[in-house]
Amino acid sequence: MAHPLIDLHAHSSVSDGTETPTQLIRAALEAGLDTIAITDHDSTAGWDEAVTAAAGTGLQVIRGMELSTRDEWRSVHVLGYLFNPNDGDLVPETARIRDDRLTRAERMVGRLSEDFDVTWQDVLAQSGGVSIGRPHIADALVARGIVRTRSEAFASILHFRGGYYLPHAAPTVLDGVRLIANAGGAPVIAHPATRGADAVIDERMLVTLIDAGLVGLEIGHRENTDAGRATLERWAEKYDLVVTGSSDYHGEGKPNRLAEYTTSPDALERIIAAARGVKPVRG
Ligand code: AMP
Ligand code: ZN
Ligand code: FE
Ligand code: FE
């Protein structure tokens, strides 16, 4: 293959994607991918099914996760690749995040139900039950005809300034990077420039994260602004960071299409070399 297509950020129904891990693998094959990473929010529950579904297809599966973290009040997502899924520190921390995602979603629905005809049962019916989030609340609002799409819900009712938003528990970004690195994984900051030139982290924090084991930056992502990308590219060069590009596919839950951004084989090699938890699996 002249240009193997490598997409290192995709969600399944284990979190807020709309396709099962098996369906995600099929979609990856249809998109002509050489390599896909399954990166559900705060869960590795889709790993085995994805690897099984890829068996015999030639598709390479990178086992990963998108860890929810925070920098003060701001949400920061850290992609972790090829870490040990049984790590004694990471396992309880992701369980804590998922537990709090559940109570937080229930509390948000409590607020919402004062103004809209939506119940907690509606939301539970939309979730795969592992890692729940606002997208499942959005799906319940769509099912009730209150909004037309997830995106419409996120732009209005579920927006963090929409009046119903509540945060969920998450480690600091520094602790998150440490957890992934200590579990043998390669940490990469997801979509770091969704806020424009004001990247989610400042340069001083970046240096701290690199010292803690940060490997790369996801610069190719539809939500990074052009101004933000320019800053990130400068930092990547200066600190010799791995640069990735990925779709952040959520099935029908988001407009993002597989392979709309991709990662170079060299960058993937560096991620694999940095990790010592589990190996890539080629089906
Ligand atoms: P939460 O982590 O529960 O606060 O929900 C945030 C998640 O919702 C993000 O990780 C996105 O993957 C997803 N999301 C954000 N914006 C949208 C949108 N416009 N449409 C669908 N999903 C979205
Ligand atoms: Zn998501
Ligand atoms: Fe994210
Ligand atoms: Fe994501």
Side-chain angles (χ1 to χ4, degrees):
M1 219 184 291
H3 298 286
L5 294 176
I6 299 167
D7 189 333
L8 297 181
H9 187 164
H11 297 266
S12 79
S13 53
V14 159
S15 61
D16 55 2
T18 57
E19 296 172 349
T20 65
T22 301
Q23 291 167 332
L24 172 62
I25 294 301
R26 272 195 218 122
L29 289 164
E30 274 163 32
L33 293 187
D34 169 81
T35 300
I36 184 152
I38 177 167
T39 56
D40 278 305
H41 297 287
D42 311 307
S43 175
T44 60
W47 283 16
D48 291 350
E49 186 184 324
V51 167
T52 301
T57 66
L59 181 71
Q60 178 168 244
V61 177
I62 301 292
R63 289 171 281 181
M65 180 168 75
E66 186 173 18
L67 182 68
S68 305
T69 77
R70 64 187 168 79
D71 179 28
E72 296 181 359
W73 55 271
R74 293 177 300 183
S75 158
V76 181
H77 286 173
V78 183
L79 292 157
Y81 297 111
L82 303 169
F83 55 87
N84 169 14
N86 303 314
D87 179 79
D89 294 317
L90 194 55
V91 167
E93 185 60 5
T94 51
R96 179 180 82 98
I97 299 168
R98 292 194 308 270
D99 286 351
D100 198 65
R101 279 182 162 284
L102 194 65
T103 52
R104 168 261 199 163
E106 191 171 7
R107 283 186 292 129
M108 278 185 69
V109 174
R111 289 185 168 200
L112 281 160
S113 64
E114 292 174 18
D115 297 329
F116 302 98
D117 188 16
V118 65
T119 67
W120 181 229
Q121 280 311 315
D122 292 342
V123 176
L124 288 178
Q126 299 293 338
S127 157
V130 178
S131 185
I132 201 165
R134 276 182 290 163
H136 304 107
I137 304 176
D139 291 346
L141 294 169
V142 172
R144 286 274 182 178
I146 295 162
V147 293
R148 267 168 306 170
T149 63
R150 270 191 187 183
S151 292
E152 193 182 320
F154 269 88
S156 58
I157 302 172
L158 297 180
H159 192 273
F160 79 98
R161 279 193 243 101
Y164 303 97
Y165 179 84
L166 292 168
H168 63 76
T172 66
V173 59
L174 177 58
D175 283 343
V177 166
R178 280 190 183 134
L179 279 166
I180 292 164
N182 290 342
V188 172
I189 301 184
H191 44 74
T194 53
R195 293 179 185 84
D198 257 357
V200 278
I201 48 159
D202 62 26
E203 190 170 357
R204 185 132 56 95
M205 173 62 86
L206 181 70
V207 172
T208 308
L209 297 181
I210 294 168
D211 289 341
L214 184 74
V215 166
L217 299 172
E218 186 186 55
I219 302 184
H221 186 290
R222 65 157 69 201
E223 286 163 35
N224 287 332
T225 65
D226 290 341
R229 274 176 226 232
T231 307
L232 295 173
E233 269 156 20
R234 230 178 337 101
W235 290 348
E237 176 98 3
K238 183 170 172 186
Y239 299 107
D240 191 28
L241 291 165
V242 177
V243 172
T244 69
S246 296
S247 65
D248 203 355
Y249 181 71
H250 283 69
E252 294 314 307
K254 260 187 154 181
N256 311 34
R257 295 298 91 193
L258 284 168
E260 65 176 34
Y261 286 93
T262 57
T263 297
S264 74
D266 287 352
L268 177 58
E269 275 316 308
R270 287 183 64 188
I271 287 170
I272 293 170
R276 50 178 172 75
V278 295
K279 299 269 176 236
V281 185
R282 189 169 295 274

